[in-house]
């Protein structure tokens, strides 16, 4: 993914990534609320931070194994746990309570991910190269 350097210091290289919409070529994208692109800000620790300056276009990469780990943590694990939670509650209290409590479970899982973000973001290392 390409990004633009916004700051370069010994603390890290700050990069702004523009994530384009997946449906930009759709005929209905102007009427759809999901079609807008988003900007993400990341900081990459790079020992050669002096070689980057504001405005440089860089390519940001993540090892495939780390990407798969991120997908597992963000999508697969909560899906599996959510289904298990739903059926455990369903057997005891019925459909309505299990559906509502599963939604609450997903909200708590998202909150937990947000709270442990500072601990887990060091497990994922990006590499950047000038373009």
């Amino acid at each position: 993914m390409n990004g633009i350097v916004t700051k370069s210091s010994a603390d890290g290289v700050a990069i702004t990534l523009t994530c384009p919409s997946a449906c930009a070529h759709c005929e209905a994208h102007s009427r759809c609320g999901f079609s807008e692109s988003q900007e993400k800000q990341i900081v990459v620790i790079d020992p050669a931070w002096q070689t980057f300056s504001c405005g440089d276009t860089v390519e940001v990469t993540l090892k495939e194994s780390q990407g798969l780990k991120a997908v597992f943590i963000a999508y697969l694990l909560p899906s599996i746990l959510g289904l298990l939670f739903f059926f455990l509650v369903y057997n005891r209290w019925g459909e309505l309570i299990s559906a509502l409590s599963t939604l609450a479970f997903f909200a708590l899982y998202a909150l937990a991910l947000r709270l442990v973000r500072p601990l887990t973001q060091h497990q994922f290392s990006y590499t950047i190269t000038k373009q």
Side-chain angles (χ1 to χ4, degrees), residues 47-67:
W49 63 270
Q50 298 94 344
T51 61
F52 300 100
S53 58
C54 289
D56 285 348
T57 301
V58 293
E59 183 178 2
V60 181
T61 56
L62 180 70
K63 280 199 256 179
E64 185 176 342
S65 62
Q66 290 180 338

Side-chain angles (χ1 to χ4, degrees), residues 1 15-16 38 42 44 59 64 70-71 73 80 104 115 122:
M1 178 173 283
I15 301 169
T16 300
Q38 299 178 10
I42 64 168
V44 178
E59 183 178 2
E64 185 176 342
V71 167
I73 292 170
I80 293 167
L115 292 175
H122 297 296

Side-chain angles (χ1 to χ4, degrees), residues 61-84:
T61 56
L62 180 70
K63 280 199 256 179
E64 185 176 342
S65 62
Q66 290 180 338
L68 293 174
K69 182 179 180 180
V71 167
F72 178 76
I73 292 170
Y75 298 107
L76 294 176
L77 184 62
S79 297
I80 293 167
L81 293 176
L83 281 171
L84 287 173

